[in-house]
Amino acid sequence: MARLRLSSLTPYALPAAVIAVWQAGSALGVISDRVLPAPTDVVAAGWRLALSGELLANAKSSTARALAGLVIGGGIGFGLGLLNGLSRAADRVTDTTVQMIRNVPHLALIPLVILWFGIGEEAKLFLVALGVFFPVYVNTVHGVRGVDGQLVEMGRIYGMSSWTLFRKVILPGALPSIFVGLRYALGIMWLTLIVAETISASSGLGYMAMQAREFMLVDVVVLSILIYALLGKLADVLARALERRSLAWHPAFQNH
Amino acid sequence: MTRPLRQVLAEAQSVPLEIGWLPETKATAPALPPEEPPAVVPRGSGVALDLKGVGKSFGDKRVLGGVDLQVRPGDFLVVVGKSGCGKSTLLRLLVGLDRPTEGEIAIGPGRDGGKANARIVFQEPRLLPWASVLDNVAVGLPASLSSEAAWKAAETVLADVHLQGRADDWPSVLSGGQRQRVALARALVSHPDLLVLDEPLGALDALTRITMQSLIERVWHAQGFTAVLVTHDVAEAVALGDRVVVIDEGRIVLDLAIDLPRPRERGSAALAALEGKLLDAIFGVAEVVY
Ligand SMILES: Nc1ncnc2c1ncn2[C@@H]1O[C@H](COP(=O)(O)OP(=O)(O)OP(=O)(O)O)[C@@H](O)[C@H]1O
Ligand SMILES: [Mg+2]
């Protein structure tokens, strides 16, 4: 039992050590307060903002944007990915265009997006949706194409309707690849959101960090960065749990 | 190309199924009388096959030509031949996966005068890795069946292939022989009139193969479907077939009736002599270098 619990803590040993060194460095005066406030100061700032309600409000508004952008961009990417994976004709019509747009870094569109949407919510949703679209799209197409043709033939011989074939053979076969796309998209989702909020927003974690910078509150800036790391990790943990659940049949997810 | 087969299957599947149709199989197979009808009335009726001048070309490459073959309902036909001689092509024509470019194939009629229900088992099990063993077997049942009835039917047939208790497992944890038994169960669960097997045991080890051969013989005997088995193994051919045809370069070069009682004694002199005949036909006597 003790061994098991110890080994489950292993991944957190390194972050804990970093924080310990950081705290020690601050206490000894090796690390200047102006550069990096002590972890205890960051925690105190977090406590202060949590009590005032600011922290929760900003985290909520960032999370809502992130999820909305993910649903919109991921949904479109998934739909178009299925379509192009299944239909050669649709692929010929749209894929080249999609690949061309994909080669433009989506953050390069920020000036244009601000011109279009101002600094409203639409601008941030648009950027997040665009960012998550590509990984979901590319991996969905790849997954659908990679489904074992022998299984598809088997399904046909056994009289499956097109819908049943899709539900029972093609979608489950493509799922591992789709999850790769989803996890990649989650990373892009946070990245895009942070950049977008830093540039133009009146709420959210990126906004909180920029405000803090203006008032020279280094502890709040560091706090924002740490919260991003935590939210990113949380999203990944959730995606992994979902993956584990839906891919229980996969040998890679058995006996763990 | 696959359309006709789907129609065949769709129609065959609209026939109401009887559940729990297979009699209990005993651990030791009883001696089977060669000509008499089986003691248990088979609920799946075998269908007759009638091939007249059947041929198949891919482009200008003629893979199969002038195949004449009549198979009686409930017969066990074995097809042997060198790799690439056209065996799989013949099977695909039989189950309607492809259409012949020459000649005609008549199958049936199936139960109640309807279309025949044909099922195929491939060399690979082709199981859905994301579906449990039970759900994989249920793939062989019509979608219209209620899930309870489907599970019951699937469980019954799993017991027939000696996989009771593995219903909830993933295919990835089964051995090769067990996977192939699941594939067999999937083909049997819908109660076929014609079962076509394309080297189903080719990937298995010799001992598992022998066990599987007697399993196939037993379900065939109990159900009475017409069986067509392709194999590379002449010992398997003479152990199972009522009749063995040898194909060479797209033609039937030997049609050998085997009138030995079942189950046949492996390694007996009679079987060895027949194996020799088959090998001669496959390789051509003149080619054999002593
Ligand atoms: N779709 C196709 N298009 C073109 N040629 C084909 C096609 N299918 C099969 N052939 C050719 O037909 C010939 C017979 O193939 P088939 O698969 O029937 O052989 P087989 O007897 O089953 O061989 P094996 O024992 O190796 O499985 C081969 O030369 C093959 O290349
Ligand atoms: Mg073959």
Side-chain angles (χ1 to χ4, degrees):
Chain A
M1 271 310 267
R3 272 182 91 103
L4 206 75
R5 297 219 350 228
L6 209 64
S7 73
S8 71
L9 291 178
T10 315
Y12 300 100
L14 197 57
V18 169
I19 290 173
V21 170
W22 172 12
Q23 180 72 45
S26 297
L28 296 172
V30 184
I31 305 172
S32 153
D33 249 14
R34 293 288 178 94
V35 178
L36 200 59
T40 43
D41 294 344
V42 175
V43 171
W47 185 241
R48 204 177 64 231
L49 289 175
L51 283 184
S52 75
E54 236 176 296
L55 183 64
L56 191 67
N58 284 320
K60 253 184 175 165
S61 95
S62 285
T63 308
R65 280 174 194 146
L67 290 183
L70 179 70
V71 168
I72 296 170
I76 298 175
F78 178 64
L80 192 64
L82 286 182
L83 185 70
N84 285 359
L86 293 170
S87 153
R88 286 272 154 201
D91 188 59
R92 265 225 287 291
V93 174
T94 58
D95 190 63
T96 307
T97 314
V98 172
Q99 298 302 338
M100 263 155 60
I101 301 174
R102 186 162 81 100
N103 283 312
V104 180
H106 66 294
L107 294 176
L109 296 180
I110 287 178
L112 188 61
V113 169
I114 291 178
L115 282 179
W116 285 349
F117 300 110
I119 62 164
E121 286 303 303
E122 297 92 341
K124 275 149 288 210
L125 284 186
F126 180 84
L127 283 171
V128 173
L130 191 67
V132 300
F133 168 82
F134 294 106
V136 173
Y137 168 78
V138 169
N139 286 285
T140 304
V141 172
H142 180 259
V144 170
R145 295 260 170 84
V147 172
D148 186 352
Q150 291 193 329
L151 289 182
V152 175
E153 193 187 51
M154 184 281 298
R156 290 241 163 81
I157 296 172
Y158 276 81
M160 287 186 186
S161 65
S162 300
W163 168 241
T164 311
L165 194 68
F166 173 75
R167 207 165 42 88
K168 289 201 170 164
V169 181
I170 294 171
L171 189 59
L175 213 52
S177 175
I178 294 173
F179 269 113
V180 172
L182 177 66
R183 285 179 57 194
Y184 198 78
L186 289 176
I188 293 193
M189 173 184 86
W190 288 120
L191 173 87
T192 312
L193 191 66
I194 293 157
V195 174
E197 283 184 346
T198 312
I199 290 167
S200 70
S202 52
S203 69
L205 293 166
Y207 166 77
M208 189 172 92
M210 286 315 281
Q211 285 289 96
R213 184 198 59 108
E214 276 181 25
F215 297 107
M216 301 290 279
L217 300 171
V218 191
D219 49 357
V220 177
V221 174
V222 174
L223 176 73
S224 311
I225 295 171
L226 288 182
I227 290 174
Y228 283 137
L230 281 180
L231 286 178
K233 176 72 185 164
L234 183 68
D236 196 56
V237 165
L238 289 179
R240 270 174 189 261
L242 191 64
E243 189 178 31
R244 194 168 286 255
R245 244 186 89 99
S246 14
L247 301 185
W249 55 270
H250 203 284
F253 291 93
Q254 283 165 14
N255 313 319
H256 284 290
Chain B
M1 280 307 240
T2 57
R3 191 108 209 109
L5 176 80
R6 292 177 67 181
Q7 278 166 3
V8 168
L9 294 183
E11 284 163 42
Q13 283 176 347
S14 60
V15 176
L17 277 174
E18 226 172 300
I19 308 303
W21 32 268
L22 201 69
E24 282 217 284
T25 42
K26 300 218 171 64
T28 52
L32 314 179
E35 285 303 324
E36 275 172 35
V40 184
V41 179
R43 323 245 175 116
S45 56
V47 284
L49 309 180
D50 190 0
L51 284 74
K52 287 203 182 85
V54 168
K56 175 79 186 170
S57 307
F58 293 104
D60 47 9
K61 192 168 164 225
R62 198 167 180 225
V63 173
L64 216 56
V67 173
D68 287 305
L69 193 62
Q70 280 78 42
V71 181
R72 290 174 306 175
D75 259 9
F76 202 125
L77 175 74
V78 179
V79 180
V80 293
K82 276 186 277 204
S83 181
C85 70
K87 304 182 297 289
S88 296
T89 306
L90 180 65
L91 293 195
R92 292 176 72 87
L93 296 180
L94 280 181
V95 295
L97 266 176
D98 281 326
R99 279 174 177 286
T101 43
E102 307 157 37
E104 274 180 18
I105 299 180
I107 299 179
R111 265 163 290 166
D112 310 325
K115 291 226 171 161
N117 178 10
R119 284 290 190 234
I120 187 164
V121 176
F122 299 94
Q123 177 166 4
E124 329 77 35
R126 301 201 189 183
L127 303 178
L128 301 176
W130 41 82
S132 69
V133 164
L134 194 74
D135 288 338
N136 264 292
V137 174
V139 164
L141 288 165
S144 56
L145 211 63
S146 79
S147 46
E148 260 167 60
W151 284 332
K152 242 183 135 183
E155 264 173 3
T156 311
V157 76
L158 272 178
D160 293 331
V161 298
H162 308 299
L163 280 178
Q164 58 273 57
R166 305 307 299 262
D168 297 328
D169 285 339
W170 300 116
S172 62
V173 304
L174 300 183
S175 72
Q178 289 170 332
R179 282 179 213 171
Q180 203 55 301
R181 274 188 274 159
V182 177
L184 185 63
R186 180 179 63 194
L188 292 174
V189 71
S190 73
H191 208 174
D193 306 311
L194 170 64
L195 183 65
V196 160
L197 306 116
D198 193 356
E199 295 181 46
L201 313 181
L204 304 179
D205 66 89
L207 294 179
T208 310
R209 218 180 308 161
I210 292 175
T211 323
M212 289 288 289
Q213 285 164 6
S214 47
L215 176 67
I216 290 172
E217 187 176 36
R218 223 158 42 228
V219 287
W220 164 75
H221 178 248
Q223 288 194 39
F225 51 78
T226 305
V228 180
L229 169 76
V230 161
T231 179
H232 273 131
D233 180 351
V234 288
E236 183 170 300
V238 296
L240 292 180
D242 290 320
R243 203 172 144 196
V244 182
V245 297
V246 177
I247 296 188
D248 192 30
E249 294 182 355
R251 305 188 161 274
I252 294 182
V253 295
L254 179 71
D255 189 338
L256 187 68
I258 300 184
D259 267 340
L260 297 174
R262 294 171 186 270
R264 294 172 181 158
E265 195 188 329
R266 277 160 206 289
S268 70
L271 289 192
L274 289 168
E275 280 179 37
K277 256 191 185 173
L278 288 181
L279 287 173
D280 285 348
I282 293 167
F283 292 109
V285 187
E287 273 181 42
V288 179
V289 182
Y290 291 97

